[in-house]
């Protein structure tokens, strides 16, 4: 089983619908992240959390919200999906400290029609 | 603004050939630079990390170099294999990040898409 698991892996939805992407990890890491990847733009940070009570906005948080339900679970919500939120979404984890490696999930491909 | 620029954007080579991918950064102060490999449809996986004091580091057929003076890093792949086909992403955090204050300031390059043909 993967250390960082994302569900669903693929989702097609319509404009205006509420969508939740879920992430769970078995690595025991405190830090969790949600990234968005678009062709030619690289990975961009949506939200990050250093522990259950610490949640921070990234560079592109507008239109998104998150919930850290437990150390191992970090969910991303799109309250009212729009077509330009069509992208590949990645959850990642890390340990604290300098130069820490990010461990990514397999990704969730979201299409908003 | 901290930036990470990778070149080329894409590269096609024949199996068995060597290739070199480039990463130029303006992130300052500098702490380290990490190369990730991302297979199609998968999440990125770390290949290697270069710290300020390191010039060269190898991981099997992958060799990374760092020139902190010119703010350039390269990833050299020797004797390419079909499985090397992937996107290679360069990531640089700022020095103050090294204190663990925030992962939110990682700067990602846009990646180089490598295709290895038989």
């Amino acid at each position: 089983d993967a250390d960082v698991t994302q569900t669903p892996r693929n989702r097609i939805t319509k404009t205006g619908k509420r969508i939740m992407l879920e992430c769970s990890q078995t690595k025991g890491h405190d830090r969790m992240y949600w990234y968005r990847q678009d062709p030619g733009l690289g990975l961009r940070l949506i939200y990050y959390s250093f522990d259950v009570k610490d949640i921070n906005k990234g560079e592109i948080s507008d239109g998104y919200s998150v919930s850290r339900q437990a150390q191992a679970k970090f969910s991303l919500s799109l309250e009212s999906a729009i077509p330009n939120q069509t992208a590949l979404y990645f959850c990642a984890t890390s340990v604290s400290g300098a130069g820490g490696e990010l461990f990514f999930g397999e990704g969730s491909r979201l299409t908003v029609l | 603004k901290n930036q990470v620029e990778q070149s080329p954007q894409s590269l096609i080579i024949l199996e068995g050939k060597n290739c070199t991918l480039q990463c130029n950064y303006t992130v300052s102060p500098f702490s380290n630079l990490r190369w990730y490999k991302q297979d199609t449809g998968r999440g990125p996986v770390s290949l290697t990390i270069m710290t300020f004091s390191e010039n060269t580091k190898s991981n099997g057929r992958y060799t990374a170099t760092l020139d902190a003076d010119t703010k350039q890093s390269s990833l050299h792949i020797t004797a390419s294999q079909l499985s090397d086909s992937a996107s290679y992403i360069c990531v640089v955090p700022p020095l103050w990040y090294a204190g663990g204050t925030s992962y939110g300031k990682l700067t990602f390059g846009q990646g180089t898409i490598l295709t290895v043909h038989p």
Side-chain angles (χ1 to χ4, degrees):
Chain A
D1 289 339
D3 293 324
V4 183
T5 303
Q6 293 183 229
T7 56
R9 293 292 312 280
N10 290 283
R11 182 71 183 270
I12 300 173
T13 190
K14 295 181 178 180
T15 298
K17 294 293 186 180
R18 184 177 186 273
I19 295 296
M20 178 179 286
L21 306 179
E22 298 183 321
C23 177
S24 62
Q25 52 117 345
T26 58
K27 299 191 74 68
H29 292 169
D30 289 329
R31 299 182 173 195
M32 298 187 73
Y33 314 80
W34 275 104
Y35 286 93
R36 168 178 173 161
Q37 187 174 44
D38 298 277
L41 291 181
L43 287 154
R44 292 182 292 168
L45 183 65
I46 306 173
Y47 271 93
Y48 61 104
S49 170
F50 282 177
D51 64 42
V52 175
K53 296 182 179 180
D54 178 64
I55 293 178
N56 305 278
K57 293 182 177 180
E59 61 182 305
I60 56 164
S61 59
D62 288 347
Y64 301 95
S65 62
V66 292
S67 173
R68 185 82 184 266
Q69 300 95 326
Q71 187 212 32
K73 295 184 182 296
F74 193 36
S75 300
L76 176 71
S77 293
L78 289 69
E79 296 300 326
S80 180
I82 56 177
N84 74 2
Q85 291 178 313
T86 293
L88 185 57
Y89 292 85
F90 285 102
C91 175
T93 72
S94 73
V95 296
S96 60
E101 179 180 352
L102 287 170
F103 296 86
F104 288 87
E106 296 291 282
S108 295
R109 184 169 295 280
L110 176 65
T111 303
V112 184
L113 301 176
Chain B
K1 179 181 178 181
N2 290 331
Q3 288 187 312
V4 176
E5 298 288 340
Q6 292 186 243
S7 62
Q9 285 189 324
S10 61
L11 181 62
I12 299 174
I13 62 173
L14 292 175
E15 187 178 13
K17 298 296 185 182
N18 303 335
C19 68
T20 300
L21 313 180
Q22 299 288 346
C23 175
N24 296 339
Y25 60 93
T26 62
V27 178
S28 182
F30 175 79
S31 169
N32 62 72
L33 180 149
R34 192 180 288 272
W35 285 94
Y36 286 83
K37 178 187 179 188
Q38 183 178 17
D39 292 321
T40 300
R42 309 291 294 273
V45 175
S46 178
L47 283 174
T48 189
I49 180 172
M50 301 294 290
T51 59
F52 183 83
S53 60
E54 294 176 309
N55 297 118
T56 302
K57 181 182 287 185
S58 292
N59 177 6
R61 294 180 297 101
Y62 298 99
T63 299
T65 66
L66 176 66
D67 185 333
D69 291 330
T70 61
K71 297 185 175 172
Q72 296 179 325
S73 177
S74 65
L75 182 68
H76 185 75
I77 303 174
T78 303
S80 61
Q81 300 176 359
L82 299 179
S83 60
D84 293 330
S85 294
S87 178
Y88 292 84
I89 302 169
C90 177
V91 183
V92 184
L95 179 63
W96 57 262
Y97 154 77
T101 55
S102 173
Y103 242 101
K105 300 301 182 183
L106 287 176
T107 303
F108 288 81
Q110 68 271 56
T112 292
I113 299 173
L114 174 64
T115 303
V116 181
H117 283 166

